[in-house]
Amino acid sequence: MRVLEAGEESVRPKKSPRARAEARLGWMMAGPAFLIMLSVTAYPIAQAVYESLFSYRLTEPDAREFVFLGNYATIFSDSVFWWALGVTVFVTVVTVAVELVLGFALALVMHRALKGLRGTLRTSILVPYGIITVVSAFAWYYMFDINTGYINEWFSWVPGISSDLDWFSNFGTAISVIMASEIWKTTPFIALLLLAGLAQVPDEMVEAAKVDGATWWQQMSRVVIPHMKAAIMVAVLFRALDAFRIFDNVFIMTQGQHGTEVLSMLAYKTSITRLEIGMGSALSVVLFACVLLICAVTVWGFKVDLASGTDHQDAGKEK
Amino acid sequence: MAAPGGNTTKIKVGWAVLFVVTLVYALFPVFSILMTSFKTPGDLASNTLLPASFTWQNYEEIFVGGAQTLFLSALVNSIGITLIATAIAVVLATLCAYAVARFDFPGKKVILASALAVSIFPVISVVTPLFNLWRTIGLYDTWIGLIIPYLSLTLPLSIWTLSAFFRQIPWELEAAAQVDGATQWQAFRKAIVPLAAPGVFTTAILAFFIAWNDFVYGISLTSTEAARPVPAALAFFTGASQFEEPAGAISAAAIVVTVPVVILVVLFQRQIVSGLTQGAVKG
């Protein structure tokens, strides 16, 4: 993430009045965007933390009662929460792992494809990226649905698939289709980030490895992938955070039935459907804490240096 | 990395296969729902990919038929809210990124760090408090009530992408033009705007995609046709009768909202790719 150093080359000789005028102008220009971002996120999350300390249903405003950490105690002792957390983690791990492999393959295809084909490839791959998640969810739903779908007919030769298989009536099949739609929609993002990473691997090094008789696999694992480590980790972090917040496709395909209730779905149902604001706020806070935890673990655990970024050439130039 | 090594037929065939596989991967689900949108009600349950006979019936249903009020108002809401949110986000992000790229002032890193933090924020976590607040102050089920949260979705990415673009602009040109006798405004307009415009434009496309895609705010902060956008409306579509599948109408509506995405992607794939990778990798 070069972003953190975005303006470093604009350092000027410091003259106090001028520096102050510059600071004032800078904040006048950057301030509105900054304020809006903060007020739409920091304020609501503070509000959520506060509300989470109350037992409060919107339908019974008079029964509002301060319960301190009571809602959290209920959440952490409820198997519904642990199941939702488990499903969410499962979806995150599986989709990110599959997307990384698939995205790398797509990136390689785009990187090595003939010049004339690259444009077509990139255009087609951007369609899943740009398409509305809800539309993608419906597309996959109608493919598999027992009434409108044709997958059962096409794959009836596969053991376990027959024309009366209802994909959305049990956990294993439902979560598979949900994950498939998520993978389809978001792999292009990873592929494009990895493609940018691939472009930074020095050609000479790959050529040198080839001359030295390295196999394709050795070229990849010893030369290409180590050079792309930073790009890979940034892609994984962003996708993991995104996958952990999965909601739209679950809502469309199963509404969280048959064990497919992910954390976001649980929080949504609690506060918006059942109007249990106190409990829903507590779940929101827990969800937010999970996202922070993933971020912290990736950044510190895997040493993703968000401040130095992946653009080696660029970084080299500036230092 | 131009041509794949060698010219043997085998390699050529291999590349052709990879090319086709990639195209099918990327486009098949879209093709599938497109075909569903052309099916007659009787055809919907035929368990085939292609319709037995093509019909515009589902499109008539959403534009002039029974689902008209639900769909057309949602389409107007989606277009209006998304365009306004995108425009505001791009203007504010341009100012912000310009300040970050050109000035040295305390708190600059805080601004960029908070843009990063806001972008990883779970929407679900803020939707409950916003739902409460909007009901209290009267923004529930209004355009403004969606435009404000959409800004929090689009601003972080816009700020990154634009900062990355602006960092690459040779700002000396502006001073050079002034030396050549241009006024400050002329220098900015003639030398800088043509260089900055592509970045701003690309950012607008990416911001549009994000706002256009929203579902959580759409279903949580609206309750009627007054502000409900298309993705949320799709979840509320029902068939003409209880026993009729709404699949045809939903598919047609889904295709209608996919058309702008496909047009933007086809016209501007190069810009979108560079914007995405600049914003996320370098940015």
Side-chain angles (χ1 to χ4, degrees):
Chain A
M1 290 288 111
R2 298 283 318 159
V3 72
L4 297 177
E5 297 165 29
E8 63 197 344
E9 63 270 37
S10 66
V11 179
R12 289 160 189 190
K14 289 232 155 97
K15 271 192 239 157
S16 186
R18 187 175 168 188
R20 228 176 299 140
E22 198 172 290
R24 205 177 323 121
L25 184 59
W27 270 104
M28 269 170 57
M29 293 180 76
F34 182 67
L35 273 183
I36 288 179
M37 284 193 303
L38 273 200
S39 56
V40 186
T41 45
Y43 166 74
I45 202 72
Q47 181 78 13
V49 171
Y50 173 74
E51 299 270 9
S52 73
L53 305 177
F54 290 85
S55 168
Y56 173 40
R57 289 189 65 134
L58 205 61
T59 45
E60 303 166 79
D62 297 333
R64 183 183 167 117
E65 189 194 344
F66 183 74
V67 292
F68 193 47
L69 298 177
N71 286 328
Y72 295 97
T74 313
I75 290 172
F76 291 128
S77 60
D78 191 346
S79 60
V80 172
F81 165 75
W82 291 107
W83 177 263
L85 180 65
V87 174
T88 312
V89 170
F90 174 73
V91 168
T92 306
V93 171
V94 174
T95 54
V96 172
V98 174
E99 284 175 25
L100 198 56
V101 175
L102 203 56
F104 194 72
L106 281 175
L108 277 180
V109 171
M110 287 190 284
H111 188 61
R112 304 282 305 275
L114 291 168
K115 271 226 166 70
L117 301 180
R118 269 186 223 170
T120 318
L121 282 176
R122 287 200 300 198
T123 306
S124 59
I125 218 152
L126 279 173
V127 170
Y129 167 80
I131 206 169
I132 297 178
T133 312
V134 170
V135 170
S136 138
F138 273 118
W140 284 82
Y141 180 80
Y142 291 140
M143 271 193 244
F144 284 87
D145 180 50
I146 192 163
N147 297 316
T148 57
Y150 46 86
I151 295 292
N152 281 344
E153 308 300 319
W154 283 19
F155 294 96
S156 55
W157 49 272
V158 177
I161 298 182
S162 64
S163 61
D164 54 356
L165 171 62
D166 186 353
W167 290 80
F168 300 102
S169 72
N170 74 71
F171 174 74
T173 47
I175 205 76
S176 305
V177 182
I178 289 171
M179 289 193 298
S181 75
E182 178 77 2
I183 289 167
W184 175 71
K185 156 101 179 111
T186 53
T187 299
F189 176 73
I190 281 204
L192 291 170
L193 291 195
L194 295 182
L195 180 62
L198 270 179
Q200 290 162 9
V201 178
D203 283 352
E204 315 85 66
M205 296 196 67
V206 184
E207 288 303 323
K210 237 186 253 176
V211 170
D212 289 349
T215 62
W216 182 83
W217 179 246
Q218 285 169 330
Q219 291 168 31
M220 285 297 138
S221 61
R222 305 268 172 83
V223 181
V224 175
I225 293 177
H227 264 94
M228 293 172 62
K229 204 171 147 241
I232 292 171
M233 289 320 294
V234 168
V236 165
L237 174 60
F238 274 79
R239 270 304 305 144
L241 292 171
D242 209 27
F244 198 81
R245 297 176 284 181
I246 183 170
F247 178 80
D248 303 10
N249 10 21
V250 180
F251 187 99
I252 296 299
M253 292 199 205
T254 63
Q255 301 254 317
Q257 286 167 337
H258 309 295
T260 58
E261 191 160 78
V262 289
L263 267 190
S264 292
M265 194 76 219
L266 182 62
Y268 173 83
K269 275 191 179 167
T270 309
S271 38
I272 308 286
T273 316
R274 296 206 295 274
L275 299 173
E276 291 179 31
I277 302 298
M279 185 64 76
S281 299
L283 279 166
S284 301
V285 173
V286 171
L287 179 64
F288 179 50
C290 289
V291 167
L292 284 184
L293 192 70
I294 295 178
C295 221
V297 168
T298 329
V299 173
W300 283 308
F302 293 92
K303 307 236 181 320
V304 175
D305 192 353
L306 286 179
S308 75
T310 57
D311 195 344
H312 300 296
Q313 294 168 333
D314 204 22
K317 247 185 270 164
E318 273 166 41
K319 269 158 206 166
Chain B
M1 285 284 160
N7 271 328
T8 57
T9 344
K10 228 183 196 174
I11 288 176
K12 272 187 185 162
V13 171
W15 274 101
V17 170
L18 277 178
F19 179 70
V20 172
V21 167
T22 309
L23 284 195
V24 169
Y25 164 83
L27 302 177
F28 182 76
V30 184
F31 178 74
S32 171
I33 198 167
L34 180 69
M35 288 303 111
T36 309
S37 77
F38 287 125
K39 286 180 180 174
T40 62
D43 223 7
L44 281 171
S46 64
N47 302 114
T48 55
L49 168 62
L50 298 175
S53 60
F54 284 80
T55 172
W56 290 100
Q57 205 177 331
N58 298 312
Y59 292 90
E60 279 164 22
E61 168 81 4
I62 57 168
F63 279 114
V64 291
Q68 184 194 22
T69 38
L70 195 60
F71 179 71
L72 277 188
S73 54
L75 188 61
V76 171
N77 290 336
S78 261
I79 294 172
I81 294 170
T82 303
L83 288 183
I84 295 172
T86 304
I88 298 176
V90 169
V91 170
L92 292 182
T94 304
L95 291 173
C96 185
Y98 181 87
V100 165
R102 296 224 52 197
F103 303 141
D104 188 38
F105 60 96
K108 197 164 79 172
K109 290 193 174 175
V110 175
I111 292 174
L112 291 163
S114 40
L116 194 68
V118 167
S119 75
I120 64 161
F121 220 79
V123 170
I124 289 281
S125 294
V126 296
V127 85
T128 312
L130 274 184
F131 172 74
N132 271 335
L133 179 66
W134 274 194
R135 290 175 79 98
T136 319
I137 62 176
L139 285 182
Y140 182 71
D141 204 19
T142 64
W143 277 29
I144 301 174
L146 281 184
I147 290 171
I148 295 171
Y150 282 12
L151 289 178
S152 78
L153 293 178
T154 50
L155 274 174
L157 177 116
S158 307
I159 292 173
W160 288 351
T161 313
L162 280 168
S163 314
F165 270 115
F166 287 173
R167 277 197 316 128
Q168 296 169 345
I169 290 181
W171 295 101
E172 314 83 68
L173 280 181
E174 195 179 25
Q178 269 171 286
V179 171
D180 290 346
T183 66
Q184 195 172 4
W185 169 244
Q186 279 172 332
F188 181 74
R189 199 168 53 94
K190 293 267 167 62
I192 299 301
V193 170
L195 289 173
V200 175
F201 181 70
T202 302
T203 306
I205 297 176
L206 295 178
F208 174 85
F209 280 164
I210 292 177
W212 193 241
N213 185 47
D214 164 75
F215 180 61
V216 177
Y217 287 128
I219 50 168
S220 312
L221 303 179
T222 67
S223 60
T224 66
E225 275 116 52
R228 184 179 286 153
V230 175
L234 287 180
F236 293 97
F237 262 38
T238 46
S241 78
Q242 200 189 335
F243 304 101
E244 199 174 308
E245 277 280 346
I250 290 180
S251 302
I255 289 299
V256 171
V257 290
T258 302
V259 168
V261 172
V262 172
I263 293 176
L264 286 175
V265 162
V266 168
L267 291 179
F268 306 113
Q269 56 92 1
R270 197 171 297 275
Q271 289 87 336
I272 295 171
V273 170
S274 80
L276 261 181
T277 47
Q278 295 228 352
V281 179
K282 290 188 210 156

